[in-house]
Amino acid sequence: MSSNCAAGGSTSVRVAWCAALAAGCTTAAAGPDPAKVATHGAAPFAVQLERLAKLQHGIDLIAPPAGVDPVVWQAMIPKDNQPTAARIELGRKLYFDARLSADGTVACATCHDVTRGFADRRPVSEGIGDKLGRRSAPTTLNAALLTSQFWDGRAATLEAQAILPIVNPIEMGHKTGREATAAIASDPAYTAMFKAAYGRAPNYDDIGRSIAAFERTLMFLDAPLDRYLRGDTNAISESARRGWVLFNGKGRCVTCHPMNRANPIGSDGRFHNVGVSARHQKFGELARQAVSALAKSDTAEAIDRLALETDASELGRFLVTRNRADLGGFRTPTLRNAGITAPYMHDGTMPTLWDVMDHYNKGGEANLFLDGGIESLALTEPEISDLVALMFTLTDDRFATENTAELARQRAAAAVRRPFRDDALSTRKKLQFE
Amino acid sequence: MRIRPPRSIETIHHEERDQAIRSLARLDRRGFLKVSAAAAAAAMTHGLTPHSFQPIRVAEAAAGAPGFRFAYISDSHLYERKQNDRFVRSLMRAVDDVNALDPQPDFVFYGGDLAQLGQAAELQLGAQILKELKAPVRMMVGEHDWYLDLGDTWRGMFGPPQYSFDHKGVHCVVLNSVVEADFWTERKLTPMERMRTVAGLDNGAQRPFTVGDAGRAWLAADLAKVGKTTPLLVFSHSPLYKLYKPWNFWTDDADQVQALLRPFQRVTVIHGHTHQLLTNRVGNIQFHGMLSTAWPWPYAPQGLPEYTIQMNRPDPFDPNDGCGDGEVVVHPDGLVDKIYQLWNRNPITIKSSFLSSGGKKDRPPAPSRGSY
């Protein structure tokens, strides 16, 4: 334990955490006691781990997941990171290890909490020193099926994604990957696990690889809608059935959220400006600032910091491509388990799915870079309810209880407040830019 | 010990670009030209072409050399706003694109069809939006601007439809190539009926486009003053060659116009009307189409020039796809690189060397989205 404490600076938080560990741990090899680490609103890691074990009970974590074509699945896994029990186990341990943060308060599981839909139910996430970022934590559920990672796709793979938050100053705050590795490397348990998983000593890229291997086990694709589409007419309510027709028709949802056997998560993997950031940002000036900032340093870490710490976050995909066509564009998120992963959009500004429908119904938010497919939909109130009902049929059955509770909570919230609703715009009685 | 994470195609592109820019510092001008060509070639290999924030940096780095750059916007087809506000927003977006160019282009060329039905309110709406442009604007007329009142309103707002000017050693000529023989008097058509007939792309009641006898006489006289080694930049609304007659992707007296241009060593024709990536070469004359801000046309069923890199079928769910604006980089030798700034795809650059080499060199990468 003492070597672990020495490895990472000497803030008071860190000291307190070490003291708590000293009280709670029996052997150095055991690492931090998960029960003692529960900060930034996350459930205690012991509780999360217990829940996770139940969720994955009886599932072969190495085989291709149910609901995904095995050939497609195999093609998405990097050759140097094929799943093994040792890699998954190592990744699981790291996912719940707050030592990967500079002050020992943040693990992956802090913002991608098993009990909060593998996200954090907050508009934007909170990192070390209670610092707030600019983006809403997307769920790690089924993230392996996304064609790029982060809202702006700045990481191509889960492996590349996992190592960026650890060294982001306001997320987990380690100064370098080397420092993060040192924070865990002295733990003899890790030495053995890295050896078993990758045949070498702990290193930063294998931290990313093993977390990715673990995340590939978080596949939750068994929802009422799947049973409905397989022919069980009564698997979803009549309202949700009407919602499915609207989804594929008047609501135009399917344009960007295709749902089929080859692509079960409902994301086209492309980047669209739907006007969310246009509510509070001017793109032109921000773009100039970002381009000049990136002229000085154009690294993955630099883009990461702009995306999380500055107003440039709202530029979305533009930060990656510098193409004006990508201004304010964010990757279409998965629709799977949307019911339990509120709030919505890249900045978490929409508390309920009713708000999301209101936003699309009025044709998004006026801005010059609005995606061409976004237009007023003239959905009626019952139609909006039908679409929301459909969204809640996309939650995996293992989260059914949470799903029911979330539906009730969102319904109550929407009954009080519908801040994004604009009937004049949705019915084109008023035009955008007027 | 840190292994580099897998790099995205963008990362690779930017690394190569940075490498190229870093190496500039170590070079004299002669060396510079080689390096920027190499950087452009590297970008091409990865299917990424320079875009608004980047190519210019390369072009401007050669400051002091002649050559220049202008932006284009074309074919906005504005109706009154209440009838179609999407086209209005699209033109606003193009204006914003051009205003964001840093440094600003020497001028902005508007390629015709500002209005849909030639009505004063449509043209005024367009003029009002174009007024926001920071760079000077050069206007060209299209058939949609013309056939309600045979150009009265347009001329009143923008001046004569045929004119020429010299810019940094290049002689620029703007033509009215949408002159149709009278098909309306005999049929006793009202002005709006005449307008709507012409506005129908494949309405067989109209006649083919021409520059016309008067237009060609004017052109011959204008060119008589110009030395044969002076680069020519010719603007026409319809393509100055014969592509597909049923849609007037066609200029009926194109052969005669080309004959007037042929004595000049370097000639580039920039045209509107076709709303798509369209590239051609006839002898020493290079042709480039402009994108529309309103909608993309499909490719004509026959006559497509072999030099054209097709932009593939636009996404039917995204009305912005296949639309856009762009830039033209005029090299010191007077030939041009044509940049198509597509709103839903990666930008595409057609280099003059691609055409000069008969399609052997600098072939643009295939469009970023596969064929349907």
Side-chain angles (χ1 to χ4, degrees):
Chain A
M1 260 312 93
S2 59
S3 63
N4 179 36
C5 289
S10 56
T11 62
S12 59
V13 177
R14 176 106 194 159
V15 171
W17 177 71
C18 288
L21 282 175
C25 297
T26 48
T27 67
D33 177 356
K36 300 292 180 192
V37 184
T39 48
H40 308 288
F45 293 167
V47 174
Q48 291 196 39
L49 280 160
E50 193 184 335
R51 183 83 209 282
L52 180 65
K54 278 189 193 138
L55 289 169
Q56 296 189 323
H57 179 72
I59 291 173
D60 179 354
L61 297 180
I62 294 174
V68 184
D69 187 300
V71 176
V72 172
W73 178 252
Q74 188 56 45
M76 296 184 83
I77 302 178
K79 286 198 175 56
D80 65 357
N81 200 24
Q82 295 296 311
T84 65
R87 288 171 178 178
I88 293 167
E89 195 188 336
L90 172 59
R92 184 190 300 113
K93 184 173 167 67
L94 288 165
Y95 187 92
F96 292 97
D97 194 334
R99 283 179 291 185
L100 286 179
S101 61
D103 69 355
T105 66
V106 181
C108 306
T110 305
C111 304
H112 302 282
D113 179 343
V114 177
T115 68
R116 296 184 291 176
F118 289 75
D120 60 7
R121 302 258 164 88
R122 294 167 174 231
V124 294
S125 294
E126 184 177 288
I128 60 165
D130 298 345
K131 290 177 205 145
L132 292 179
R134 300 296 183 107
R135 302 239 174 115
S136 186
T139 179
T140 46
L141 289 170
N142 306 316
L145 287 178
L146 292 168
T147 49
S148 63
Q149 302 297 328
F150 293 117
W151 281 101
D152 51 19
R154 63 188 184 276
T157 61
L158 287 172
E159 282 80 358
Q161 186 280 329
I163 54 176
L164 279 172
I166 298 171
V167 293
N168 181 288
I170 64 166
E171 292 191 298
M172 298 163 83
H174 275 299
K175 288 197 177 54
T176 61
R178 188 187 293 266
E179 181 188 290
T181 310
I184 57 152
S186 52
D187 183 336
Y190 273 125
T191 316
M193 289 174 83
F194 274 87
K195 185 82 183 152
Y198 296 101
R200 52 201 170 210
N203 66 82
Y204 197 48
D205 286 298
D206 285 344
I207 289 176
R209 287 195 185 95
S210 59
I211 292 171
F214 167 65
E215 287 176 319
R216 289 199 178 90
T217 71
L218 303 178
M219 304 304 294
F220 289 80
L221 294 165
D222 184 15
L225 184 70
D226 298 297
R227 292 199 302 282
Y228 172 68
L229 295 179
R230 283 196 295 265
D232 177 359
T233 318
N234 294 317
I236 62 175
S237 68
E238 201 183 329
S239 171
R241 291 201 290 270
R242 288 193 299 268
W244 179 242
V245 175
L246 290 163
F247 181 92
N248 291 293
K250 184 178 177 183
R252 300 167 58 98
C253 319
V254 71
T255 310
C256 302
H257 294 285
M259 298 266 295
N260 52 54
R261 176 118 177 85
N263 177 11
I265 57 167
S267 167
D268 61 356
R270 299 184 67 201
F271 301 84
H272 303 276
N273 176 330
V274 298
V276 173
S277 44
R279 286 199 308 271
H280 41 84
Q281 290 303 342
K282 278 197 161 53
F283 290 125
E285 188 46 39
L286 277 180
R288 273 186 287 280
Q289 288 166 7
V291 165
S292 75
L294 289 167
K296 294 186 193 99
S297 166
D298 194 354
T299 60
E301 289 80 5
I303 296 175
D304 199 58
R305 294 197 59 171
L306 280 176
L308 290 175
E309 297 171 41
T310 70
D311 287 346
S313 173
E314 303 301 336
L315 297 170
R317 183 65 175 166
F318 176 86
L319 279 181
V320 181
T321 63
R322 320 297 139 77
N323 182 349
R324 282 173 61 80
D326 289 322
L327 276 173
F330 294 88
R331 199 207 50 254
T332 311
T334 174
L335 291 184
R336 290 280 175 175
N337 306 298
I340 58 166
T341 54
Y344 303 102
M345 304 300 183
H346 72 274
D347 54 3
T349 45
M350 296 185 190
T352 74
L353 284 164
W354 273 270
D355 296 325
V356 175
M357 302 309 157
D358 285 344
H359 172 81
Y360 286 118
N361 196 22
K362 67 181 176 184
E365 203 73 41
N367 77 92
L368 291 175
F369 305 95
L370 192 68
D371 193 82
I374 302 295
E375 56 182 52
S376 302
L377 299 171
L379 295 170
T380 63
E381 195 56 30
E383 287 172 335
I384 288 174
S385 301
D386 291 344
L387 280 165
V388 172
L390 175 74
M391 291 300 104
F392 280 93
T393 69
L394 281 158
T395 304
D396 188 281
D397 285 337
R398 286 163 280 185
F399 301 110
T401 314
E402 270 177 271
N403 196 48
T404 310
E406 262 297 289
L407 174 57
R409 187 193 67 77
Q410 290 195 20
R411 178 173 281 134
V416 179
R417 232 177 134 246
R418 295 280 290 276
F420 300 97
R421 182 171 170 163
D422 190 328
D423 291 340
L425 274 176
S426 61
T427 54
R428 293 180 64 83
K429 290 197 175 73
K430 189 170 89 189
L431 296 177
Q432 293 200 340
F433 287 105
E434 267 182 359
Chain B
M1 174 54 196
R2 167 102 193 262
I3 306 168
R4 294 167 72 89
R7 295 177 306 161
S8 69
I9 193 164
E10 291 88 356
T11 309
I12 294 167
H13 163 67
H14 284 114
E15 283 174 359
E16 284 170 350
R17 187 197 66 180
D18 288 350
Q19 175 63 35
I21 290 174
R22 270 198 301 278
S23 56
L24 290 185
R26 301 192 293 270
L27 290 171
D28 58 16
R29 177 163 300 149
R30 189 183 302 263
F32 163 77
L33 291 172
K34 281 188 202 151
V35 169
S36 50
M44 294 287 182
T45 343
H46 294 291
L48 284 163
T49 45
H51 47 69
S52 54
F53 281 95
Q54 188 231 315
I56 321 317
R57 190 170 298 158
V58 175
E60 293 299 314
F68 62 96
R69 183 173 60 98
F70 66 93
Y72 73 82
I73 303 174
S74 193
D75 292 87
S76 300
H77 292 267
L78 299 178
Y79 291 84
E80 280 188 76
R81 191 151 189 265
K82 282 212 156 25
Q83 275 185 279
N84 187 328
D85 67 311
R86 180 163 69 77
F87 290 179
V88 178
R89 281 186 275 131
S90 294
L91 180 56
M92 289 163 69
R93 176 172 178 175
V95 167
D96 193 78
D97 276 354
V98 172
N99 279 345
L101 294 174
D102 183 17
Q104 276 286 287
D106 283 12
F107 58 88
V108 186
F109 189 81
Y110 191 86
D113 286 355
L114 181 60
Q116 171 65 8
L117 296 171
Q119 303 182 90
E122 298 169 346
L123 289 166
Q124 280 155 7
L125 174 62
Q128 186 194 336
I129 297 169
L130 292 177
K131 212 181 286 171
E132 299 296 316
L133 284 164
K134 293 191 274 193
V137 183
R138 302 280 187 177
M139 294 296 293
M140 180 164 68
V141 76
E143 81 278 13
H144 286 261
D145 303 318
W146 193 259
Y147 280 91
L148 183 64
D149 57 11
L150 298 178
D152 283 350
T153 309
W154 196 92
R155 272 192 301 256
M157 292 173 71
F158 304 115
Q162 295 212 134
Y163 59 98
S164 66
F165 58 97
D166 292 297
H167 190 81
K168 294 186 178 171
V170 177
H171 186 66
C172 305
V173 182
V174 181
L175 296 175
N176 174 4
S177 70
V178 296
V179 177
E180 295 191 15
D182 185 340
F183 62 85
W184 49 88
T185 307
E186 191 190 355
R187 289 163 189 257
K188 297 192 172 63
L189 299 183
T190 65
M192 186 47 95
E193 285 168 341
R194 173 177 63 203
M195 180 68 247
R196 287 184 179 279
T197 303
V198 175
L201 180 75
D202 56 355
N203 188 329
Q206 63 177 318
R207 306 293 307 278
F209 289 156
T210 64
V211 174
D213 294 341
R216 288 199 312 280
W218 176 90
L219 178 63
D222 183 78
L223 294 181
K225 298 171 290 188
V226 181
K228 298 293 181 278
T229 55
T230 305
L232 285 190
L233 201 47
V234 179
F235 297 93
S236 62
H237 184 69
S238 56
L240 279 184
Y241 57 94
K242 296 181 174 180
L243 199 168
Y244 188 60
K245 197 170 186 178
W247 294 354
N248 258 334
F249 284 17
W250 185 275
T251 305
D252 215 40
D253 52 358
D255 297 339
Q256 291 148 280
V257 178
Q258 286 174 18
L260 294 172
L261 303 177
R262 198 163 296 129
F264 293 84
Q265 288 171 9
R266 281 153 298 171
V267 186
T268 306
V269 176
I270 309 279
H271 66 84
H273 189 62
T274 51
H275 302 205
Q276 58 198 206
L277 260 78
L278 192 59
T279 313
N280 195 12
R281 196 188 99 174
V282 178
N284 61 327
I285 309 173
Q286 305 191 352
F287 300 86
H288 296 281
M290 285 183 273
L291 294 172
S292 162
T293 61
W295 72 82
W297 282 124
Y299 282 106
Q302 60 194 53
L304 198 64
E306 57 172 323
Y307 290 99
T308 295
I309 305 295
Q310 293 190 46
M311 64 185 187
N312 293 341
R313 179 181 172 229
D315 179 349
F317 280 104
D318 185 345
N320 286 341
D321 193 25
C323 298
D325 44 59
E327 291 164 74
V328 176
V329 177
V330 183
H331 290 296
D333 67 5
L335 293 175
V336 312
D337 289 350
K338 178 76 189 335
I339 301 171
Y340 292 91
Q341 190 74 44
L342 290 148
W343 284 340
N344 196 41
R345 307 178 183 205
N346 290 334
I348 291 180
T349 301
I350 311 291
K351 295 177 83 70
S352 65
S353 50
F354 170 66
L355 290 171
S356 302
S357 66
K360 290 187 184 68
K361 279 166 55 182
D362 296 328
R363 170 170 282 276
S368 58
R369 303 187 59 205
S371 207
Y372 283 79

